[in-house]
Amino acid sequence: MAAKIGMKNPVVELDGDEMTRVLWALVKEQLILPYVDLKTEYYDLGLVNRDATHDAVTVESARAIARRGVGVKCATITANAARRTEYNLKNLYPSPNATIRAILDGTVFRKPIIVSGIKPSISTWKKPIVIGRHAYGDVYKNAEMAIPGPGRVELVYTPREGEQQRQIVAEMEGPGIVQGMHNLDGSIENFARSCFLYALDEKLPVWFAAKDTISKIYDGRFKELFNRVYETEFKAQCAAAGVSYFYTLIDDAVARVVKGEGGFLWACKNYDGDVMSDMVASAAGSLAMMTSVLVSPSGAVEYEAAHGTVQQHYYRWQKGERTSTNPAALIFAWTGALAKRAELDHTPELGAFAKNLEAATLRTIEEGDMPGDLARLASPAPPRVLDSWEFTGAIAKRLRRP
Ligand code: NAP
Ligand code: MG
């Protein structure tokens, strides 16, 4: 057996819940530990430990990612009333992803894993479309009100010092609804920075779209700040790397996306990103083939799968079933983190291993060994559907004999 590949610095490892926790251990044991002398700073973000530590473990893990520069995260349960009963929880803490995102002030990028034999529903797509979603404000931090009857609705700004400003939203003639929302220049600028950092890393053109023809001040500010960050901070680097920047209206962007061949970063405002990432994921194939990375404006990164803990599969696994849950996006979370660590530490052997593991995973699927979610989409259909253990074993076999 060849010596294992060494690591200079650890990756911050955030363990999680349910079926993805089961697959997490399987992927490490079968596909990473035999080859890499793995160094991780480990945090258990399983719901039981989050509850036991009053969620301190989540905050500590996010700070560790900021300090170390690279994290890898398993899917975690976002607690709700049903989970409180199921796990006998003391408290309902917010989603770990929201907590981590708030600490790292990051932007989430989602990218489908493309394999031949699994055709996207949009036939012109040849290369992945990456969605960069702004994760602060707009309708996700709104104030809304039901209006019972006729009357005036106004926006009022009360500064810490100085004169109030008011603007009429509507003279309501009857009952209706009203909504107020906001964003911050600093958050929009950090969003733009994260997008250009990601695009430079991946050598992708950047598209940004909003509706500044209708929303001249709100969306106009997004357009203006995005442009300014590009012009003043990134233009020279982008030119040197061959990375272009393009602004258009959101409806024009949608029309171009479905007619284009992909291969760009689509920077989206919060709501557009929520909607469009589901569109891109579904049109590209399976939720289990969508990777996700959080990039902070300081450059710290956290890799994960875009899917959740696959709860229903977990209950079946607990009853003894060997489920056919697809670990591909979890594998790519690990390879993303190891490759980034290799780049930062200048350890090319580790980087090459990450590439080999990705190639072995793709080849396994392309040669017809695949779990159920892909078997349903594949043409030709595979002779047989593999369970998670068989599929991981099939990847391990190809990793041993490239
Ligand atoms: P989910 O775990 O993403 O699963 C939804 C469905 O998608 C599954 O039932 C399964 O469909 C399919 N699926 C997802 N991943 C798959 C995989 N790897 N292989 C095969 N099929 C896969 O979403 P959920 O069931 O709505 O949420 C479960 C828990 O995850 C919740 O507690 C939620 O809070 C949490 N969650 C966490 C994150 C995160 O940590 N990033 C993200 C989303 C949700 P079939 O049943 O048809 O096979
Ligand atoms: Mg959504």
Side-chain angles (χ1 to χ4, degrees):
M1 181 92 194
K4 290 191 194 181
I5 299 163
M7 288 176 69
K8 276 192 196 157
N9 289 295
V11 161
V12 179
E13 174 184 358
L14 283 55
D15 209 342
D17 288 301
E18 299 193 312
M19 202 60 215
T20 43
R21 189 178 178 105
V22 175
L23 296 180
W24 193 255
L26 178 71
V27 164
K28 274 171 66 180
E29 180 202 293
Q30 294 279 319
L31 302 178
I32 299 174
L33 291 173
Y35 307 96
V36 179
D37 196 3
L38 188 67
K39 274 191 191 166
T40 74
E41 187 171 319
Y42 179 88
Y43 293 87
D44 183 358
L45 265 63
L47 187 54
V48 174
N49 193 45
R50 273 183 280 145
D51 196 50
T53 62
H54 299 277
D55 211 28
V57 67
T58 307
V59 173
E60 282 164 21
S61 71
R63 293 198 179 128
I65 294 171
R67 186 161 31 81
R68 298 284 192 185
V70 185
V72 59
K73 180 179 171 291
C74 183
T76 46
I77 292 169
T78 299
N80 57 17
R83 299 299 198 161
R84 185 200 285 266
T85 317
E86 183 182 357
Y87 285 82
N88 194 17
L89 300 175
K90 295 194 288 278
N91 278 296
L92 288 188
Y93 292 103
S95 137
N97 285 15
T99 302
I100 295 167
R101 214 154 51 209
I103 292 171
L104 294 176
D105 187 20
T107 299
V108 175
F109 297 92
R110 297 204 152 167
K111 175 180 168 183
I113 304 166
I114 307 283
V115 285
S116 68
I118 312 287
K119 294 266 173 288
S121 323
I122 296 181
S123 58
T124 51
W125 288 1
K126 305 272 180 289
K127 294 178 256 176
I129 294 168
V130 182
I131 300 276
R133 174 182 170 190
H134 186 210
Y136 177 83
D138 299 352
V139 72
Y140 300 85
K141 266 192 187 294
N142 70 358
E144 45 183 26
M145 210 191 276
I147 304 295
R152 173 179 296 177
V153 176
E154 286 181 277
L155 284 177
V156 181
Y157 163 58
T158 311
R160 297 239 168 91
E161 282 166 40
E163 290 280 295
Q164 252 186 7
Q165 288 181 46
R166 316 176 79 89
Q167 188 172 329
I168 295 174
V169 175
E171 300 282 0
M172 309 274 292
E173 298 298 336
I177 43 186
V178 61
Q179 176 181 68
M181 59 189 196
H182 82 286
N183 222 299
L184 295 169
D185 289 357
S187 174
I188 299 167
E189 287 164 354
N190 278 342
F191 168 52
R193 285 185 189 108
S194 297
C195 287
F196 289 115
L197 284 171
Y198 182 93
L200 283 166
D201 227 35
E202 302 267 323
K203 305 276 179 289
L204 288 176
V206 180
W207 294 18
F208 178 53
K211 193 71 178 176
D212 64 295
T213 45
I214 301 299
S215 168
K216 291 189 168 60
I217 293 182
Y218 200 103
D219 280 25
R221 180 70 63 90
F222 269 89
K223 176 183 176 183
E224 176 195 329
L225 292 179
F226 225 96
N227 269 328
R228 190 195 300 160
V229 167
Y230 172 68
E231 291 287 339
T232 58
E233 299 176 33
F234 290 95
K235 198 173 182 177
Q237 280 182 75
C238 283
V243 168
S244 58
Y245 169 57
F246 168 62
Y247 175 85
T248 188
L249 290 169
I250 183 73
D251 37 358
D252 179 52
V254 170
R256 287 170 186 263
V257 162
V258 294
K259 283 191 291 191
E261 61 170 39
F264 53 87
L265 166 63
W266 185 7
C268 289
K269 289 177 63 198
N270 209 346
Y271 174 82
D272 298 339
D274 187 354
V275 176
M276 293 308 165
S277 66
D278 278 16
M279 190 273 282
V280 168
S282 315
S286 160
L287 190 54
M289 298 294 279
M290 193 73 161
T291 64
S292 182
V293 58
L294 176 72
V295 177
S296 87
S298 73
V301 287
E302 180 215 52
Y303 293 84
E304 65 169 344
H307 61 77
T309 60
V310 215
Q311 183 178 7
Q312 296 310 321
H313 291 212
Y314 179 62
Y315 295 148
R316 288 174 5 223
W317 176 81
Q318 282 183 316
K319 289 189 193 133
E321 184 185 329
R322 287 169 71 89
T323 60
S324 183
T325 321
N326 184 351
L330 292 174
I331 296 171
F332 275 65
W334 274 102
T335 56
L338 293 178
K340 189 72 191 177
R341 193 70 274 170
E343 180 196 318
L344 296 176
D345 294 348
H346 307 287
T347 49
E349 223 192 333
L350 184 64
F353 168 76
K355 273 215 175 73
N356 286 342
L357 177 49
E358 289 184 359
T361 305
L362 298 181
R363 198 145 46 80
T364 303
I365 298 166
E366 285 168 356
E367 289 175 1
D369 286 342
M370 63 186 88
D373 59 311
L374 296 180
R376 283 196 290 275
L377 302 168
S379 72
R384 185 172 95 75
V385 169
L386 304 191
D387 68 39
S388 303
W389 292 262
E390 292 168 330
F391 178 59
T392 311
I395 299 170
K397 203 170 79 191
R398 287 171 177 86
L399 193 57
R400 282 194 296 273
R401 265 182 281 129

